[in-house]
Amino acid sequence: MRDWSLVSLSVLFGLTARWAVSLSSYSGAGKAPMFGDYEAQRHWQEVTYNLPVEEWYFNTSDNNLLYWGLDYPPLTAYHSLLCAHIAQLINPDWISLHTSRGYESISHKLYMRATVMAADLIVYIPAVLLYSLYFSEGSSKKKVSTMLCMLLYPGLILIDYGHFQYNCVSLGFALWGVLGLALGWDLCGSLAFCLALNYKQMELYHALPFFCYLLGKCTRKGLTGKGLTHLLKIAGTVAASFALCWLPFLAGPAGPPEAVPS
């Protein structure tokens, strides 16, 4: 793939389309008392920044689970905490406990949109570029066309930049998982897909293809020899990945979360 100027223009086009959609309103804007998913994401930053980790998923006087209780897996909570630390440096009012509920401003909207763009640039877009340019078949123009189709997928752009979500993170991790399997790095691919699952439970829709592919590969190697060893390595990677993600919650005095992701 030599025509990098065409690739650069395609990525720029994808980013422009994203930012253009982000300039519009979002679902729930100005609509009390819940204010939509935008407020949910802001509220999770408020909760994760101001409350100890063992209270993030539990109903307390400071964390009313009926008001946008955390219902996504731990990596979403950790991402919210990271965004909250940055928000605290810019404007503490955005995530102040209780008093920030329903906070809306142009500057805050710009910040929230920027966090989605940053996640896209870090996780999803690099995976799309790698897949399209090195793993898809066809001519250079066909590879760029594949990349554009993935970058301009309306469902992802409208939900993440219009409605307000971070689906680019979970889908990006899932795509990194596919790339890992394509390269023969099954443990890395398994780890990436575990990260996708621990960011959004909707990635369970993609779990069966991963499971069948890896099990089939182990079976072909022989389940009484190298195949069994490889299967145990994959199982260990998955178990360790989930343990690291969930340990802060399961090891706390309160036990497993009340707001089980659904």
Side-chain angles (χ1 to χ4, degrees):
M1 186 66 199
R2 298 178 179 178
D3 197 354
W4 290 105
S5 60
L6 185 58
V7 173
S8 300
L9 287 173
S10 299
V11 173
L12 182 61
F13 186 40
L15 294 176
T16 302
R18 283 161 164 73
W19 197 251
V21 172
S22 75
L23 296 176
S24 66
S25 184
Y26 49 86
S27 104
K31 296 180 181 178
M34 301 302 284
F35 300 98
D37 275 7
Y38 176 95
E39 167 63 10
Q41 300 290 343
R42 187 217 59 77
H43 179 64
W44 294 347
Q45 294 177 26
E46 171 194 346
V47 167
T48 54
Y49 184 83
N50 291 287
L51 300 182
V53 64
E54 58 267 19
E55 293 185 19
W56 289 358
Y57 286 95
F58 287 86
N59 196 65
T60 66
S61 58
D62 289 323
N63 186 23
N64 180 7
L65 294 183
L66 295 179
Y67 184 81
W68 296 120
L70 258 168
D71 56 1
Y72 283 159
L75 282 188
T76 289
Y78 302 146
H79 182 206
S80 295
L81 179 60
L82 174 62
C83 293
H85 276 285
I86 300 173
Q88 174 70 15
L89 296 175
I90 301 172
N91 187 343
D93 290 341
W94 293 349
I95 56 168
S96 62
L97 191 61
H98 302 309
T99 58
S100 63
R101 181 172 293 193
Y103 190 99
E104 294 178 316
S105 72
I106 294 177
S107 59
H108 184 252
K109 176 187 171 185
L110 178 63
Y111 169 72
M112 293 291 280
R113 296 298 198 191
T115 62
V116 181
M117 182 74 78
D120 226 344
L121 284 167
I122 293 171
V123 182
Y124 181 72
I125 292 178
V128 168
L129 291 177
L130 187 59
Y131 173 82
S132 303
L133 302 182
Y134 295 103
F135 290 94
S136 63
E137 299 179 351
S139 64
S140 295
K141 290 185 178 179
K142 187 174 181 181
K143 291 175 183 290
V144 172
S145 297
T146 300
M147 180 180 64
L148 273 174
C149 287
M150 297 177 74
L151 290 178
L152 296 176
Y153 175 54
L156 181 61
I157 295 177
L158 292 175
I159 294 298
D160 278 13
Y161 291 88
H163 175 68
F164 200 90
Q165 283 285 340
Y166 294 95
N167 290 311
C168 58
V169 177
S170 57
L171 290 174
F173 279 137
L175 185 52
W176 279 111
V178 171
L179 292 172
L181 300 189
L183 289 167
W185 300 346
D186 294 342
L187 300 186
C188 292
S190 299
L191 172 61
F193 187 66
C194 286
L195 294 178
L197 278 172
N198 280 286
Y199 191 88
K200 278 199 173 183
Q201 61 271 24
M202 73 176 189
E203 283 304 321
L204 283 169
Y205 289 117
H206 300 142
L208 188 59
F210 275 84
F211 174 79
C212 291
Y213 174 83
L214 290 170
L215 181 61
K217 187 172 183 178
C218 293
T219 301
R220 288 194 299 272
K221 289 184 176 183
L223 288 180
T224 57
K226 292 182 178 179
L228 178 59
T229 302
H230 193 57
L231 181 61
L232 291 175
K233 289 180 179 178
I234 294 172
T237 300
V238 172
S241 301
F242 272 80
L244 286 174
C245 288
W246 286 91
L247 187 61
F249 305 98
L250 300 180
E258 292 178 3
V260 177
S262 58

